[in-house]
Amino acid sequence: MMARSLLLGNEAIVYGAMRAGVEVATTYPGTPASEIGDLFAKCRLYMEYSTNEKVALEVAAAASLSNHRSIVSMKHVGLNVASDPFMSLAYTGIRSGMVIVTADDPSMHSSQNEQDNRLYGAMANLPVLEPAIPQECYDMSYYAFDLSEGLGLPVLLRTTTRVSHSRGAVDHEDMEIGGGETLVKKRFERDPYRFVMLPANARKARLKLLGLVSKAGELANDSELNCTYEVGGGSDFGIVSSGHPSTYIREVLEELGIGGRVLKLGFTHPFPGEVLKRFSAGLRKLLVIEELEPYIETMVKKIAHEERLDVDIVGKALIPHHYEVGPDQILDSISRFVGVVREGPVDPSFTIELPTRTPVLCPGCGHRAVYYAVRRVFPKAKTIFTSDIGCYTLGFEEPFQTADTSLCMGSSVGMACGFSSFADERVIAFIGDSTFFHAGLPALVNAVHNSHPFITIVLDNSTTAMTGHQPHPGMDRDERGNLAPAVSIKDVAKACGVDLVREVDASDLGATIDVLKEARGFDGPSLIVTRYPCILLRDRERRERGERVKRYEVTDLCDNCYLCTDRFACPALIKDGGVRVDGRLCTGCGVCAQICPKNAIVEVVDEL
Amino acid sequence: MNYNIVTAGVGGQGVLFLSWVLGEAALGEGFYPCIGEVHGMAQRGGTVIATVRISDRDGLGPLIKKGDAHALIALEPLEAARFADMLSRDGLAVVNTYPVRIKDYPDIQTLLSVVERRCETRSYDAFEVAKKVGGEGSANMVLLGTLAGSKRMPIEEASMKAALRKRGNAEQNIRCFEEGLRI
């Protein structure tokens, strides 16, 4: 029995995996991959949020070696973290089907870089599947397990933001995927010559892997995932494409009234060279339309060279190398390639300069009070602020500007180690609670052992907020809401040998400032945990309980000094000829009332 | 047949829910909807846009070319102006006039005129309308109602109501949707 549902690409991946009988799913949340874990957490299988992507991949690998079909999902930069086991797992191979989902983020909607993880597949010599729409997410996720098991290799399922976060019609097996945790223990059959990557074993494994790649290449050449179609009548013009950009080609050709032959690739590594050779017969012009790196273009040109094909091949010379490639860019590049002149659709006289609306810390976010306190105690001109990956990177914006660097997960503490020893200023590292466990911990140990004197501030909101509120090791609940042992950041820091460790309620401005001053006078690594639960979660809970939220107002005592709007900058404080509190946005945290030098902001007391 | 709708606003205003209702209603009528969403960083008070494409053909990508949108539902006037150039000249814009202010916020009338010069525009304070029928949080549904009432979309009111019934807060949402139909 089949059913049709409106599914997000990420949800379709889960449906496909459940249809394939996946038994173990692991992840570390990251946009645009997060909803994969969110849905698995409600499914009938074993699911865990692991500490980071490397651990998640290792857990999933062990599941496969002990005969469970497994899947691990992550955002593109997560595969950097997991790249160490990823590269070697290609050597050992796997047993039950194992799928590694990487969700790349062209245009950097929510990322620090854009990188093309198809190249990871090429580097590791592992098969890569590239779905373009939610239906293909379902189909390829399902197929990837058989492919993986047949080859004895993990398979890389590569999406991009526009695939993961597209919602579309998906025809799927009508099945109940929901349910509680299930886990069946099975036998791990030892085979140390295969699974222990000592150099002597690894040398043999390398040869075996190359043999498997060539077998995978035959499968790619026979795969229905690589298909050809024609638009209009006979033409010597061809297009090769994959993933998200491939979805616009038919309609753009129709709009331009141009005939062409299209090769749409879904199984892109190993590259299906035979398919390309058959496709290009009789073509004179060939345009390669792909996002980010010229992976397909390079392969096409290599084959054209080896086969001495007489065809004019163009890719990145016309298709942007940066950002996502959508219908506007494709229309433009095809027009230029075939020499069609078009009128622009937009009359520029109708546009005006508009201010950009950048993301900000939420009204009532505890991090804002911490940043305010830090800027009170530490002059910006004499302090280096290393920041990290999470909501709190938004401290970068005015008025706080508490981010001088941010590279990747955990980099705040690692770079603070360096700055505190090599730069002549005080250093403060900001890191979130989930990020601390992910990659901050090794750097903190480094700070202690190598005596790097700086202050680490862990902005603890008791969740992984930016990606949609997933649990982490510091919390006392797991992904299914069951009680779980919480690892205390404070205790971990103490056990690492950090001498000054403090914990403070972030919304208590006076106490936060006192602790910061204490740390300022301390010579050596110190760590402050500032605690305030994510306001989005707290707000939701309060609404569900029907709890009244404290209301605040600005009284006549206000002398329009604008300290609250200019230095604290809560979006709920509105500056229009004075200051007022926007009741729709205010969450009643009360920090602004602590800031106001005239005590002009007060709680509204309802009359009985 | 393709019908393209842009829904835009500020994080937390219900842009994604709006796009979901359109998609689910289209699916209910046998169309192939495709929605492009924005998640993550962009949702923290930043601009949020979702693109909805309704087609009788499978396999469409989610993005809409500039000038190709048949309709825009904007939950906020600045965001309406920002995406006005997505609209086709014979399109329809339905705009909430209540602003979510930021620094250097332009004059609201100027913002509305950017949209009005592009195509037919219906603008009003959707929060006020929603408040009148007891559902301030469902201003997005009022605007959806107005687009549905224009009879330009290929999907029926009944399918949109059926989609709304699948999610929480259905009664309030439908009340606001019906209020919007009359505007």
Side-chain angles (χ1 to χ4, degrees):
Chain A
M1 268 275 287
M2 296 295 280
R4 176 172 296 175
S5 307
L6 186 65
L7 296 181
L8 209 53
N10 280 344
E11 294 168 347
I13 289 172
V14 174
Y15 274 71
M18 291 302 289
R19 163 104 175 86
V22 66
E23 292 165 285
V24 173
T26 65
T27 190
Y28 181 84
T31 314
S34 307
E35 298 79 10
I36 298 171
D38 292 347
L39 184 53
F40 271 131
K42 296 175 188 146
C43 289
R44 200 177 53 250
L45 84 168
Y46 175 83
M47 187 271 168
E48 79 167 40
Y49 285 105
S50 306
T51 313
N52 62 30
E53 293 85 353
K54 169 173 148 59
V55 177
L57 191 142
E58 289 159 348
V59 172
S64 165
L65 298 194
S66 46
N67 301 308
H68 301 76
R69 283 193 162 189
S70 69
I71 189 167
V72 55
S73 55
M74 59 197 74
K75 70 182 290 169
H76 60 305
V77 288
L79 193 51
N80 299 341
V81 177
S83 60
D84 209 350
F86 176 75
M87 295 300 295
S88 300
L89 190 63
Y91 278 46
T92 66
I94 49 88
R95 278 194 175 124
S96 287
M98 177 175 171
V99 177
I100 299 167
V101 184
T102 167
D104 297 2
D105 191 15
S107 284
M108 298 163 275
H109 294 279
S110 205
S111 301
Q112 64 267 43
N113 75 349
E114 47 182 17
Q115 66 184 41
D116 190 334
N117 279 3
R118 292 178 301 177
L119 300 183
Y120 262 120
M123 180 159 70
N125 284 298
L126 290 177
V128 178
L129 303 181
E130 271 188 81
I133 54 171
Q135 181 69 57
E136 291 181 0
C137 287
Y138 174 78
D139 295 338
M140 291 193 196
S141 169
Y142 173 63
Y143 164 67
F145 286 92
D146 280 343
L147 176 65
S148 163
E149 222 159 78
L151 289 166
L153 292 174
V155 168
L156 195 60
L157 184 68
R158 185 258 191 172
T159 69
T160 56
T161 303
R162 289 297 173 191
V163 178
S164 276
H165 287 169
S166 271
R167 203 178 280 280
V170 176
D171 291 326
H172 59 88
E173 185 72 21
D174 194 6
M175 58 193 167
E176 179 56 48
I177 63 170
E181 179 173 301
T182 56
L183 178 62
V184 182
K185 284 188 183 274
K186 297 181 192 172
R187 181 146 208 92
F188 165 60
E189 285 146 47
R190 287 168 183 74
D191 188 353
Y193 288 95
R194 181 178 169 199
F195 294 121
V196 180
M197 281 301 98
L198 278 169
N201 297 338
R203 280 182 210 114
K204 288 181 200 133
R206 167 81 176 154
L207 298 180
K208 185 181 165 201
L209 172 61
L210 294 178
L212 289 172
V213 182
S214 105
K215 194 171 142 197
E218 289 165 25
L219 296 174
N221 276 315
D222 291 336
S223 176
E224 290 173 2
L225 303 178
N226 302 321
C227 58
T228 307
Y229 63 91
E230 281 210 27
V231 177
S235 165
D236 59 2
F237 170 50
I239 294 176
V240 184
S241 188
S242 72
H244 166 246
S246 70
T247 59
Y248 304 103
I249 290 166
R250 184 192 291 270
E251 55 181 312
V252 166
L253 288 176
E254 285 172 357
E255 183 177 335
L256 290 170
I258 297 169
R261 204 189 300 167
V262 183
L263 172 59
K264 193 263 183 205
L265 298 174
F267 192 150
T268 48
H269 187 267
F271 191 79
E274 295 304 320
V275 175
L276 191 269
K277 278 184 226 168
R278 284 196 298 274
F279 172 77
S280 55
L283 293 180
R284 301 304 299 264
K285 289 162 84 74
L286 207 159
L287 181 62
V288 182
I289 300 179
E290 62 190 320
E291 276 170 333
L292 302 183
E293 301 308 318
Y295 164 71
I296 294 175
E297 181 185 346
T298 307
M299 296 310 293
V300 169
K301 284 179 172 169
K302 172 175 175 278
I303 290 160
H305 175 75
E306 286 169 355
E307 301 294 318
R308 301 182 193 288
L309 300 178
D310 181 22
V311 56
D312 179 19
I313 300 158
V314 173
K316 289 298 157 186
L318 282 175
I319 302 291
H321 198 155
H322 57 277
Y323 307 162
E324 62 190 18
V325 173
D328 288 305
Q329 293 87 350
I330 292 172
L331 182 70
D332 180 61
S333 55
I334 294 180
S335 306
R336 280 158 63 194
F337 192 52
V338 298
V340 176
V341 182
R342 286 183 314 116
E343 277 179 46
V346 185
D347 179 347
S349 65
F350 284 92
T351 57
I352 59 166
E353 276 296 309
L354 299 173
T356 49
R357 193 188 289 277
T358 43
V360 289
L361 295 171
C362 300
C365 172
H367 299 335
R368 175 178 288 102
V370 176
Y371 284 144
Y372 178 82
V374 167
R375 288 296 307 272
R376 284 274 305 272
V377 177
F378 296 93
K380 172 151 178 61
K382 293 180 185 164
T383 317
I384 296 171
F385 299 114
T386 60
S387 192
D388 222 296
I389 307 289
C391 303
Y392 50 94
T393 320
L394 299 173
F396 169 82
E397 301 290 343
E398 285 184 340
F400 304 117
Q401 298 174 300
T402 44
D404 292 314
T405 64
S406 173
L407 278 179
C408 62
M409 296 288 282
S411 67
S412 61
V413 187
M415 292 189 77
C417 287
F419 282 126
S420 63
S421 292
F422 314 131
D424 58 357
E425 285 175 41
R426 182 175 277 283
V427 180
I428 297 181
F430 292 108
I431 190 166
D433 40 347
S434 190
T435 312
F436 175 81
F437 289 109
H438 179 287
L441 199 43
L444 187 69
V445 172
N446 185 66
V448 172
H449 182 67
N450 291 308
S451 303
H452 295 300
F454 63 92
I455 305 168
T456 300
I457 297 180
V458 183
L459 302 151
D460 183 353
N461 61 1
S462 301
T463 188
T464 315
M466 183 62 94
T467 49
H469 303 110
Q470 292 82 7
H472 65 67
M475 295 168 65
D476 62 4
R477 299 275 164 177
D478 68 9
E479 54 288 328
R480 294 187 193 263
N482 300 320
L483 278 173
V487 180
S488 154
I489 296 173
K490 201 172 73 174
D491 292 349
V492 166
K494 281 182 185 159
C496 288
V498 180
D499 284 329
L500 183 80
V501 179
R502 294 289 180 268
E503 195 171 76
V504 68
D505 173 356
S507 67
D508 186 339
L509 202 58
T512 306
I513 288 175
D514 286 347
V515 166
L516 289 170
K517 284 180 177 166
E518 186 187 1
R520 188 176 62 185
F522 184 77
D523 185 29
S526 58
L527 184 139
I528 301 166
V529 183
T530 59
R531 301 196 64 169
Y532 197 79
C534 173
I535 194 67
L536 294 177
L537 278 187
R538 174 180 271 201
D539 236 20
R540 192 186 302 162
E541 285 165 16
R542 282 196 301 212
R543 272 201 305 276
E544 280 166 9
R545 286 200 300 264
E547 221 173 271
R548 201 184 69 89
V549 176
K550 283 186 187 173
R551 291 186 298 128
Y552 284 82
E553 65 181 1
V554 183
T555 64
D556 293 344
L557 292 172
C558 173
D559 63 356
N560 295 349
C561 74
Y562 297 120
L563 179 82
C564 60
T565 52
D566 295 354
R567 298 283 182 82
F568 184 59
C570 175
L573 293 168
I574 310 292
K575 186 180 182 178
D576 54 8
V579 179
R580 64 182 172 84
V581 177
D582 185 335
R584 282 189 183 130
L585 296 174
C586 178
T587 63
C589 74
V591 175
C592 57
Q594 300 171 50
I595 282 166
C596 179
K598 299 288 179 204
N599 295 319
I601 307 177
V602 296
E603 189 184 341
V604 179
V605 184
D606 288 322
E607 286 171 29
L608 291 173
Chain B
M1 193 287 302
N2 281 348
Y3 193 82
N4 302 328
I5 307 158
V6 175
T7 60
V10 179
Q13 282 195 314
V15 171
L16 294 189
F17 181 63
L18 196 49
S19 67
W20 177 84
V21 175
L22 287 162
E24 186 69 26
L27 188 78
E29 294 197 20
F31 289 115
Y32 290 95
C34 185
I35 307 171
E37 304 182 358
V38 172
H39 299 219
M41 182 73 107
Q43 284 178 292
R44 296 287 177 274
T47 294
V48 174
I49 171 180
T51 49
V52 184
R53 306 189 68 199
I54 298 166
S55 176
D56 48 16
R57 200 154 80 180
D58 190 11
L60 243 56
L63 297 181
I64 299 170
K65 280 206 310 292
K66 284 203 192 317
D68 266 7
H70 300 92
L72 163 73
I73 300 180
L75 293 155
E76 207 278 341
L78 171 58
E79 301 315 316
R82 199 184 305 284
F83 298 109
D85 65 352
M86 306 269 309
L87 278 158
S88 112
R89 283 306 170 90
D90 51 9
L92 174 67
V94 183
V95 182
N96 183 14
T97 53
Y98 187 87
V100 179
R101 295 195 180 273
I102 51 170
K103 210 173 148 218
D104 302 323
Y105 195 93
D107 172 60
I108 293 175
Q109 277 312 318
T110 311
L111 293 173
L112 291 175
S113 72
V114 171
V115 190
E116 283 159 1
R117 278 187 295 181
R118 185 85 203 153
C119 68
E120 186 187 333
T121 304
R122 298 190 195 167
S123 56
Y124 54 85
D125 186 336
F127 287 120
E128 280 305 317
V129 179
K131 209 162 28 174
K132 220 168 56 193
V133 289
E136 205 178 333
S138 301
N140 53 352
M141 292 301 115
V142 178
L143 299 164
L144 177 65
T146 301
L147 176 59
S150 76
K151 307 284 179 204
R152 292 177 176 219
M153 272 196 293
I155 40 178
E156 304 288 330
E157 285 167 37
S159 318
M160 281 180 264
K161 287 186 193 167
L164 286 173
R165 281 191 203 97
K166 290 183 182 174
R167 289 285 177 94
N169 218 9
E171 259 180 48
Q172 177 184 312
N173 283 336
I174 289 174
R175 226 169 33 240
C176 287
F177 175 78
E178 286 177 339
E179 199 63 23
L181 281 171
R182 290 191 274 272
I183 302 175

